[in-house]
Amino acid sequence: MDTKPPEGANTYRIAAIPGDGIGAEVVPAGLRMLEALAARAGFGLDIETFDWGSDYYRRTGLMMPEDGPARLKDFDAIYFGAVGATDIPDHVTLWGLRLAICQGLDQYANVRPTRLLPGIEGPLRGVTAAELDWVIVRENSEGEYSGQGGRTHRGLPEEIATEVSIFTRAGVTRIMRYAFALARSRPRKLLTVVTKSNAQRHGLVLWDEIAAEVAREFPDVTWDKMLVDAMTMRMVLKPATLDTIVATNLHADILSDLAAALAGSLGIAPTANLNPERHFPSMFEPIHGSAFDIVGKGIANPLGCFWSAVLMLDHLGEHAASARLMRAIERVTADKMLHPPDLGGSARTEEVTGAVVRAIWAENA
Ligand code: NAI
Ligand code: MG
């Protein structure tokens, strides 16, 4: 796909990787939406789609070519769907594609905004949009998902498996700096550092110590520390006390599904895998997986994928287009007739996409 911009406007090279399951439904919807937005907002898109994922694996024995991350290096951004298939183990699909890209392109900051959008009722009684407005920052390069460990004595009674969590001073410092800076950029300047240093007395104690060190660089940010188990209660019972949240790879993975559910549905939740220094392209994707139970039915909610494009446009510096898209998404969520089944309605992917495209065009600004 190639959209010609007006003279003088920027053109962005985007690598699209729809992947598996509903990824192959929501990314095409996202590309259709982006084409309309580019035409309306006046920027160009040069999109190359990659057929990597489980079908590619069935053909080649690999989820993507070995030089996959290298082939992505010269793009401005990556727009990703989901991976996961019923006939291939999840650790093969996830590590073979998504995690290999995140680690290979050093996308160490995973950013997950969560808000109650207009027209969406979350499961928390009486909680308003103003009371549930969070950004979760997930450490995305090490911690529990460092990939270190191994198995020996396979199949024998003495079989051993280790899964080594790695916390490095460099890795923790950079994610803390990112999270404190993000908290400072938001009106409340409030950060909660999630930990489990009571039980995990090495890596997570280093995590806490570095949080306190970095906090001294950000005297205008109010911060507190919360054990991850207690954090699940606080998210449910006192959502308004939270704003920006930073957590390890595993903890934030779990907390962000909870956050998505509290904001109405996993189907709307977006994420950005960022290399903040821009040495490598960043990757934008809905947080959901391939959703075997609804694949092929035409009812996948594309809004998580669209909201991820909002984050992508912001990262590319197209702030006006990003804001226009967010307003279009909110106009659509405000109308319950346009809610897909995961939000309690009956709208199909196609209808939601068409409605967002119309909302993009309808606005005069
Ligand atoms: P999932 O996110 O695919 O689905 C969980 C539930 O949410 C399902 O009931 C599904 O129908 C619903 N759901 C998710 N996205 C939706 C959408 N856009 N619209 C409507 N409903 C939606 O998670 P699950 O079932 O744990 O995993 C399925 C596969 O996806 C596994 O192979 C897993 O490894 C993979 N996965 C991949 C991820 C990724 O690529 N980033 C993230 C999470 C899981
Ligand atoms: Mg997850």
Side-chain angles (χ1 to χ4, degrees):
M1 190 171 83
D2 201 354
T3 308
K4 282 235 167 355
E7 211 158 307
N10 287 323
T11 292
Y12 302 100
R13 284 195 73 211
I14 309 291
I17 309 176
D20 300 337
I22 64 165
E25 301 176 25
V26 296
V27 168
L31 294 178
R32 185 182 147 207
M33 175 282 294
L34 275 171
E35 205 172 0
L37 182 64
R40 183 69 179 86
F43 61 87
L45 287 174
D46 175 1
I47 290 170
E48 190 173 333
T49 300
F50 293 83
D51 65 348
W52 302 343
S54 294
D55 278 340
Y56 189 92
Y57 180 88
R58 291 183 197 103
R59 289 200 306 274
T60 66
L62 292 171
M63 292 295 291
M64 66 174 163
E66 269 174 48
D67 64 347
R71 286 204 213 172
L72 297 171
K73 270 187 187 146
D74 293 330
F75 285 87
D76 294 310
I78 303 161
Y79 196 38
F80 188 87
V83 278
T86 45
D87 59 330
I88 307 172
D90 284 342
H91 66 273
V92 172
T93 54
L94 196 63
W95 274 101
L97 191 58
R98 188 178 165 276
L99 293 181
I101 296 172
C102 289
Q103 284 199 349
L105 300 179
D106 203 20
Q107 295 162 347
Y108 66 85
N110 183 268
V111 179
R112 305 182 154 195
T114 309
R115 282 197 288 125
L116 266 179
L117 299 184
I120 295 182
E121 277 164 38
L124 296 180
R125 203 173 348 113
V127 170
T128 64
E131 292 167 323
L132 202 166
D133 183 355
W134 306 329
V135 186
I136 297 179
V137 177
R138 168 181 178 184
E139 201 297 314
N140 212 30
S141 65
E142 53 176 36
E144 307 86 343
Y145 299 175
S146 65
Q148 295 229 4
R151 279 173 73 172
T152 42
H153 310 307
R154 274 185 191 252
L156 298 176
E158 41 287 306
E159 183 164 3
I160 304 169
T162 57
E163 193 74 49
V164 182
S165 292
I166 305 240
F167 293 90
T168 65
R169 176 164 282 280
V172 178
T173 303
R174 67 184 184 174
I175 200 66
M176 288 298 168
R177 286 214 173 103
Y178 185 87
F180 271 94
L182 180 64
R184 176 150 76 185
S185 75
R186 289 170 52 88
R188 295 173 71 195
K189 301 189 195 314
L190 181 63
L191 178 71
T192 298
V193 176
V194 176
T195 185
K196 190 65 195 171
S197 49
N198 54 347
Q200 296 182 290
R201 60 196 173 140
H202 308 295
L204 277 277
V205 172
L206 178 68
W207 174 266
D208 290 2
E209 285 172 11
I210 293 175
E213 282 171 31
V214 171
R216 290 197 280 277
E217 298 168 21
F218 296 85
D220 51 338
V221 173
T222 307
W223 73 289
D224 64 356
K225 211 170 74 178
M226 197 82 208
L227 294 173
V228 65
D229 36 358
M231 183 67 175
T232 59
M233 284 205 299
R234 181 163 163 197
M235 287 168 71
V236 173
L237 299 177
K238 294 183 179 165
T241 66
L242 296 165
D243 186 82
T244 308
I245 297 160
V246 62
T248 67
N249 215 329
L250 170 67
H251 291 165
D253 186 4
I254 298 168
L255 294 179
S256 54
D257 273 28
L258 172 61
L262 295 176
S265 171
L266 190 56
I268 56 170
T271 189
N273 300 282
L274 299 176
N275 175 254
E277 292 76 23
R278 296 170 188 263
H279 298 146
F280 301 106
S282 295
M283 180 160 74
F284 302 84
E285 53 167 349
I287 82 169
H288 63 73
S290 43
F292 311 133
D293 50 338
I294 59 164
V295 71
K297 295 187 178 160
I299 55 167
N301 189 341
L303 294 176
C305 196
F306 295 180
W307 193 348
S308 304
V310 170
L311 306 179
M312 180 166 80
L313 291 163
D314 257 334
H315 184 74
L316 294 172
E318 290 290 335
H319 301 296
S322 164
R324 175 187 288 275
L325 174 56
M326 197 65 224
R327 289 192 300 271
I329 292 170
E330 294 187 2
R331 262 174 86 153
V332 167
T333 61
D335 181 351
K336 287 200 169 47
M337 294 298 289
L338 295 170
H339 285 189
D342 60 305
L343 290 172
S346 59
R348 302 177 60 78
T349 312
E350 177 72 32
E351 289 169 66
V352 180
T353 307
V356 171
V357 167
R358 277 194 304 281
I360 285 169
W361 279 100
E363 234 185 42
N364 294 322

